[in-house]
Amino acid sequence: MTKHPNKIILHIDMDAFYAAIEVRDNPELKGKPLVIGALPGQRGVVSTCSYEARKFGIRSAMNIKEAYQRAPHAIYMKPRMEYYAQVSHELRKIWTSYTDQVEFIAFDEAYIDLTSKDMTFDTAIDIAREIKNRVRREQGLTASVGIGYNKSAAKTASEENKPDGLFVIPNRQAWLNLVVDRPVSCIYGCGRKSAERLNQMGIFTVRDLLDRKDSLLAGAGKHLSQIIQIADGRDDRELVPYHESQAKSIGTERTFQEDTKDLVFLQSLLRLYASELAHKLREDDIYARTISLKLTFQDMSQITRSITVDPTRDSQVLYKQGVDLLNKVNLRLPVRLIGLSVSNFTEEFYQQMTLGDLIPEKQEQGQRRQDLENTLTELEKKFGLGTFRTAAELEAEKNVRDKKF
Ligand code: TTP
Ligand code: MG
């Protein structure tokens, strides 16, 4: 049981985020089917699309070829990631102006914990309305807000009346009434694979799952137990506010015996660090949003550079971001130490979302890597860390083998 079995949590999720920003900036797009992602004829997927485009069955992560077949007359645009990140930054200022108990999940999504002894659901509804109004007035965008007695109730509530929605799930009974006849995949954490596994056991709806709760819990691992608890309306996950998640970090670094400017060597180390950090994240079952590079130069001067992306534990993303940060540094002096760390953690899995990875052609690739990482996690659980190496990691090991630390 938690300290606060009944909290008051807001979940905010912007509507058709990238598409809505483009419509705001280009009013002639208003009311049109708009697809943001790869362009027709290119390889890649849909990042998102306007609600008008959704009428044709177009969805995020759909192959762009299929989207084009469904709506050849739609307008297709490439995403402008840096710009959306700036808008996200402005939105975050609004969201954090009520409390510092805010957990950022993605560019367009956050939880706000309003629990306090004086807070009521009615007051929370007033705050939700005010946030929606400010988002509209100050940013010209619409948000959907869910209010719940725990995190998953809030998240489910925000999806209930999209777009521009506001919905409240104030207690466990309301939660159970709402979800009991829905497919198990509506439960947070129950992805495609978990749903398939449950379906094979004859469990299709939340009701089926809860009917067999006791026998399932007896043999369940951490993941299935969490799904069952959440389905049963007992989600005890606390928010991880930004300032706390920032304070904690996982990192790795090495000081060399001989200072160096050898880029291949430095990049190879980043490759190995990235793999180690990704493993640790998988082990703790968390995702990181901030990646930081640290360098100490020959004269002992030190710099750190960070970037915040959408939650990831993909070693390839950590590596790429680390290298990008390194490439931006002027290596005026030889380096004596290089370190890579990750912070700003979340437990939430956010599909395919990393800034470096958001170019739509790369999203397909991203999904394949995600599958690879999942397979690696399974194998590591069985055989232990370091048993498996990708070809790139082997190459990196070779590049650093003869150096002394
Ligand atoms: P979502 O909140 O999932 O989608 P959305 O805001 O576009 O639409 P909705 O009204 O249903 O909330 O994701 C936020 C942004 O993240 C989205 O605008 C584009 C990006 N994104 C991807 O690039 N790929 C994906 O697979 C998903 C799901 C989102
Ligand atoms: Mg959204």
Side-chain angles (χ1 to χ4, degrees), residues 386-400:
T387 322
F388 299 92
R389 285 266 184 267
T390 64
E393 285 162 10
L394 285 173
E395 178 73 23
E397 275 181 347
K398 195 167 94 205
N399 292 337
V400 302

Side-chain angles (χ1 to χ4, degrees), residues 11-21 36-37 45-51 54 59-62 79 81 84 106-109 142 144 155 158-159 162-164 310 350-354 357-360 363 367:
H11 179 260
I12 303 187
D13 188 326
M14 301 298 294
D15 303 319
F17 189 48
Y18 301 174
I21 295 174
I36 310 290
V45 295
V46 173
S47 299
T48 191
C49 61
S50 64
Y51 278 74
R54 294 183 197 194
R59 295 285 179 270
S60 288
M62 178 182 276
M81 292 311 305
Y84 307 150
F107 277 179
D108 83 323
E109 191 184 339
T142 63
S144 291
K155 183 165 169 81
S158 77
E159 287 160 13
K162 250 184 180 300
D164 203 11
D310 278 307
Y350 193 62
Q351 206 185 350
Q352 310 176 31
M353 298 291 297
T354 54
D357 201 31
L358 270 167
I359 304 147
Q363 285 204 351
Q367 187 58 52

